[in-house]
Amino acid sequence: MTKAAQTDKLLSMAKSRDPAERERLLRGIADLCDGAAAGGSTTSPAIQELLDSIFMSLVMQAERDIRARLSERISEAAWAPAALVKMLAADEIDIARPIIAASPVLKDQDLMRLLVEATIEHQIEVARRPKIGAAVVEAILQKGEPLVLAALAGNDSADLSEAAMERLVDFAKRVAGVRSPLARHPSLSAELAERLYQWVGQSLRAALASRFRLDPTKLDEAIARSIQDAHTGSPTVAPAREEDRDIMDRILIEKLHAAGQLRPGYLVRTLKEGQLELFVLAIAVLGGFEPDHIQRAIDGDRPELLALACAAVGIDRSVFPTVLELVRRLNGGRPGGGAEGARRAIGAFGPFHADIAGTAFRKAAARA
């Protein structure tokens, strides 16, 4: 069939109101454009304008599942109409995600507009997009949204200058979610690692000390002096306040637990507020686990370990996907395993008592 005949057939299909016919039309247009691109040929401006118009009118009327499939289909297509790509990028997040992640049609100004106008989920996907430029990085740093900053810290391919890395380390003072991905970031320098050391927990301190050959004894002594200086009115109060905050977090969790108020809902709230280290401490106390074991569970590639811990402390099966997604956002995409790992993890919420899940977690985490 010639290109002209194929176009005529598409125009005829466009008159139909049948959703299935609309989807076939969308696939047909995509096939036409893909074929032209693959063959090195170009569609005439008049036909391209007509195709773009048909595309837009159809997508605006299309059902959700059709828009989702179209988003997947054109996510890497350079020929996709810019107006259509921008519209899908602003659609609900499950539809927008493939476009934001990969579309070559989206430019820096389009991504920065999403950072201003779209939901927090869209902003997180922008921060995760491979090889985002310095202008987009700057926009994220300027906004200072904790969950978006955590996603940026976990993006190893982003254009992060030394100054941008320094600002992220400064954010680590108050945004717990950036600490773990920053500690593993390939662009982290030894100098910045020493600064980050004072804001992170023990497991990350050990990792930093090993990676950069830091002297934990000297650094711990410096932190201790900062705490002492803070209590005597010395100017070096910033590190001390953060260290004190870690101590206060532990006191808070213990008090909530003693009063019977440390509940699953509180754990979810800590994640929504971007406080990953507080979540680790809270679930460890509530389940009687070692904090290092919880840290292993969220840093590995087996989300079923986290699921076992959650099942042991009473987090519902229906809530776990939200917990896993929030932990991944705050922890640079970890625990890994992708969608298959998430489905496998649901098996941890089997028809057995929470104590069994707790025992299974302890054994598995000790071997991890």
Side-chain angles (χ1 to χ4, degrees):
M1 183 183 297
T2 66
K3 187 179 293 185
Q6 192 175 1
T7 303
D8 288 341
K9 182 180 179 181
L10 294 177
L11 290 172
S12 176
M13 293 170 65
K15 299 176 182 178
S16 174
R17 297 283 184 180
D18 181 12
E21 195 77 357
R22 286 201 193 105
E23 183 170 8
R24 283 193 290 274
L25 176 56
L26 283 169
R27 289 202 305 266
I29 297 173
D31 288 341
L32 183 65
C33 296
D34 267 343
S41 60
T42 58
T43 307
S44 70
I47 293 179
Q48 186 63 55
E49 183 178 354
L50 179 59
L51 291 177
D52 290 356
S53 177
I54 294 173
F55 242 143
M56 287 297 296
S57 61
L58 284 171
V59 174
M60 290 175 68
Q61 303 172 47
E63 287 77 5
R64 181 190 182 281
D65 59 337
I66 296 176
R67 300 199 311 278
R69 286 194 289 273
L70 178 64
S71 176
E72 290 280 359
R73 174 67 184 274
I74 70 169
S75 62
E76 299 182 18
W79 54 259
L84 172 63
V85 169
K86 293 175 187 177
M87 184 176 75
L88 290 173
D91 208 324
E92 56 184 280
I93 188 59
D94 287 342
I95 295 171
R97 186 174 285 113
I99 294 289
I100 297 174
S103 177
V105 178
L106 287 179
K107 306 304 179 187
D108 280 1
Q109 59 266 31
D110 303 317
L111 298 172
M112 289 189 285
R113 184 170 183 175
L114 288 172
L115 290 172
V116 174
E117 298 180 356
T119 70
I120 188 68
E121 287 82 5
H122 289 74
Q123 295 172 44
I124 289 168
E125 293 306 319
V126 169
R128 288 175 172 173
R129 179 180 166 103
K131 299 181 180 179
I132 53 174
V136 180
V137 168
E138 176 62 24
I140 293 171
L141 294 172
Q142 286 282 351
K143 192 164 188 182
E145 168 59 48
L147 291 177
V148 184
L149 289 169
L152 176 62
N155 186 346
D156 293 351
S157 66
D159 186 1
L160 283 168
S161 64
E162 185 176 349
M165 284 295 296
E166 185 174 357
R167 289 167 69 184
L168 276 174
V169 170
D170 287 341
F171 274 117
K173 299 174 186 178
R174 64 176 180 83
V175 181
V178 307
R179 296 170 187 170
S180 180
L182 269 184
R184 296 168 175 82
H185 201 286
S187 296
L188 185 71
S189 66
E191 180 182 356
L192 290 178
E194 287 191 10
R195 289 172 56 180
L196 181 62
Y197 184 94
Q198 59 192 317
W199 313 124
V200 301
Q202 290 300 323
S203 61
L204 289 180
R205 285 181 179 179
L208 287 171
S210 175
R211 176 182 170 188
F212 294 98
R213 298 183 180 180
L214 306 179
D215 186 336
T217 302
K218 289 184 178 179
L219 290 171
D220 290 342
E221 287 175 355
I223 292 171
R225 285 195 300 272
S226 295
I227 294 174
Q228 183 177 5
D229 290 343
H231 292 302
T232 58
S234 173
T236 56
V237 295
R241 286 177 180 170
E242 281 299 320
E243 189 70 14
D244 284 349
R245 183 179 300 172
D246 289 341
I247 296 171
M248 293 304 295
D249 282 347
R250 292 179 179 276
I251 293 173
L252 170 64
I253 295 300
E254 293 291 350
K255 283 186 175 180
L256 288 173
H257 187 49
Q261 296 177 357
L262 187 59
R263 298 168 183 164
Y266 178 79
L267 302 181
V268 178
R269 191 168 80 242
T270 62
L271 293 174
K272 289 182 176 179
E273 293 173 353
Q275 301 183 76
L276 182 61
E277 291 191 1
L278 191 59
F279 168 81
V280 169
L281 178 60
I283 196 171
V285 170
L286 188 57
F289 305 131
E290 293 292 333
D292 283 350
H293 286 179
I294 301 295
Q295 193 68 48
R296 289 182 202 173
I298 68 173
D299 285 343
D301 292 320
R302 297 173 59 198
E304 59 267 29
L305 289 182
L306 176 59
L308 283 170
C310 289
V313 299
I315 292 177
D316 191 78
R317 175 198 301 262
S318 63
V319 178
F320 178 72
T322 300
V323 170
L324 179 59
E325 175 64 18
L326 288 170
V327 169
R328 283 174 167 171
R329 288 180 188 176
L330 294 170
N331 199 34
R334 290 175 293 271
E340 176 58 32
R343 287 191 293 271
R344 188 173 64 247
I346 293 297
F349 296 85
F352 42 72
H353 195 274
D355 287 346
I356 297 177
T359 300
F361 171 78
R362 292 182 184 88
K363 290 181 178 179
R367 295 193 300 267

